[in-house]
Amino acid sequence: MRNTARHASLAAAGLLALSSLTACANDAAGSTADTGNGGGKGESVKIMVGGLDKVIYLPAMLTQRLGYFRAEGLNVQLLSEPAGVQAETALVSGQVQGAVGFYDHTLDLQVKGKSVESVVQFSHAPGEVEVVSDKAAGSLTSPKDFKGRKLGVTGLGSSTDFLTKYLAVKNGVNVSEFTPVAVGAGPTFVAALQKGAIDGGMTTDPTVATILDKKAGKVLIDMRTPEGSQKALGGLYPSSSLYMQTDWVDGHKDTVQKLVNAFVKTLKWMSAHSADEIAAKMPADYSQGNKTLYAQAIKSTLPMFTDDGVMPQGGPETVEKVLKSFNPKIKNAKVDLSRTYTTEFAEAVK
């Protein structure tokens, strides 16, 4: 069953194939050695994460640290790129079998002729925050003031770029009337804000917590909760997910089920533990020397996560609405949302 029973016929009919790319992914899966990252021997899978130390993608490393991949007989190698768009590139080029990034990339890729789907949904809110520098705070008080501004995003074509453009258009500012600046996250984002290279920008924790702690900026729009997502975007916005090429999923269902089992177990564990307990499980360097601040960053972001890995109802439609508002290629294309995600694996977790 894919998505729901009514979509079963779509799955049976098959989806767009990327045979040459999948061959690369198959080769990578078969030849990946035990790096130690996966914590032991087992079936090897490479996953690219759009920033391993970002709290929005915390389930990836936490699943590793809790030993849940190993318990499923998997040796998962987690790799990291600073932005989700780079993780997307690694996936479609066949360097890895999975990407942990925003669900919205699956829609963007579909209109480019590539069939990719979310197999487990970590979140029902973006976890993103639009911040503004202290210097610009007096005149930049809402997205209506984006005109003429330099706004930081993790990377051009990234989900932070997508969401920034939507907020602008929704508030009467054309995407050509402001300048998106790729500044990454963490220290590079903070430095750009402090030096005036950007007037504001969209980022996540722990970068947000650091900015507030340094008094380098203020929160303009907070989308770390379902309520914040509803207010800013008009609905639940599924973001962090594990997405994979559909033909690889269809050819490796047992492996995908094991991955989803591990991730859903982590999401349930997160829902039953405090931010301090979660922080204690993460690599020491993720706290950047301030454990209290890191735990606070996790606490602020926890509301974005699901506890079952299932796509939230109505979420894909919100994402489509956001992308269609500024992206002419998506606006003028027919997107088949049923092909951008599956609940088959998350619903099968016992």
Side-chain angles (χ1 to χ4, degrees):
M1 171 179 153
R2 190 174 299 280
N3 297 348
T4 63
R6 61 191 171 88
H7 293 141
S9 60
L10 287 172
L15 305 172
L16 288 174
L18 300 174
S19 57
S20 61
L21 295 181
T22 302
C24 294
N26 287 338
D27 291 344
S31 62
T32 303
D34 176 19
T35 62
N37 196 344
K41 295 180 179 179
E43 187 176 359
S44 295
V45 180
K46 286 183 178 180
I47 297 175
M48 185 67 77
V49 184
L52 260 175
D53 58 351
K54 295 177 184 176
V55 178
I56 57 170
Y57 300 142
L58 181 149
M61 180 55 75
L62 182 58
T63 302
Q64 193 82 282
R65 303 283 286 188
L66 291 171
Y68 292 160
F69 290 136
R70 185 169 58 248
E72 291 289 334
L74 299 173
N75 175 38
V76 173
Q77 183 181 3
L78 296 175
L79 307 170
S80 187
E81 288 282 7
V85 66
Q86 292 159 320
E88 170 197 298
T89 300
L91 177 70
V92 298
S93 66
Q95 297 174 48
V96 295
Q97 292 78 55
V100 168
F102 268 37
Y103 160 72
D104 53 22
H105 290 290
T106 67
L107 281 74
D108 186 50
L109 286 167
Q110 187 182 115
V111 300
K112 295 174 181 175
K114 297 174 174 61
S115 188
V116 173
E117 61 188 355
S118 164
V119 297
V120 57
Q121 197 61 46
F122 299 160
S123 58
H124 45 198
E128 302 282 356
V129 177
E130 184 72 24
V131 297
V132 57
S133 71
D134 274 0
K135 183 178 179 181
S139 56
L140 181 48
T141 60
S142 85
K144 293 179 182 179
D145 302 321
F146 281 0
K147 188 174 181 178
R149 301 290 185 169
K150 293 176 292 183
L151 300 175
V153 296
T154 52
L156 301 181
S158 68
S159 297
T160 52
D161 190 21
F162 293 163
L163 288 170
T164 301
K165 287 175 177 173
Y166 172 74
L167 292 174
V169 170
K170 181 186 177 186
N171 288 276
V173 179
N174 193 284
V175 294
S176 64
E177 294 181 309
F178 69 92
T179 305
V181 183
V183 292
T188 55
F189 188 103
V190 176
L193 197 68
Q194 290 177 316
K195 294 176 181 177
I198 56 174
D199 301 301
M202 191 169 292
T203 190
T204 61
D205 277 311
T207 307
V208 176
T210 301
I211 289 168
L212 297 179
D213 185 59
K214 291 178 176 292
K215 295 181 170 42
K218 297 179 172 64
V219 171
L220 189 65
I221 299 171
D222 193 337
M223 297 180 285
R224 290 176 289 189
T225 67
E227 295 77 19
S229 177
Q230 181 75 44
K231 183 178 179 181
L233 306 174
L236 294 178
Y237 195 94
S239 55
S240 306
S241 67
L242 171 66
Y243 61 88
M244 313 179 88
Q245 292 189 51
T246 298
D247 49 359
W248 199 89
V249 172
D250 290 343
H252 300 79
K253 289 200 170 189
D254 288 346
T255 302
V256 176
Q257 187 64 63
K258 290 175 183 178
L259 286 166
V260 175
N261 290 346
F263 278 125
V264 172
K265 191 173 181 181
T266 296
L267 292 169
K268 291 184 183 301
W269 188 93
M270 288 169 61
S271 71
H273 289 78
S274 69
D276 286 328
E277 290 171 319
I278 294 170
K281 291 289 185 181
M282 301 301 288
D285 61 337
Y286 281 23
S287 67
Q288 297 178 22
N290 191 329
K291 293 181 179 180
T292 301
L293 191 65
Y294 182 58
Q296 180 57 50
I298 292 175
K299 184 177 181 180
S300 297
T301 306
L302 274 179
M304 73 175 281
F305 293 106
T306 69
D307 62 3
D308 59 6
V310 175
M311 176 65 73
Q313 189 170 6
E317 288 77 9
T318 303
V319 173
E320 182 181 28
K321 177 194 71 174
V322 166
L323 296 184
K324 280 182 177 292
S325 72
F326 67 85
N327 188 325
K329 291 182 179 178
I330 294 181
K331 185 176 183 177
N332 299 319
K334 180 171 175 53
V335 178
D336 186 348
L337 293 176
S338 70
R339 289 169 41 205
T340 61
Y341 71 97
T342 176
T343 60
E344 171 185 355
F345 302 101
E347 288 175 346
V349 176
K350 296 181 175 60

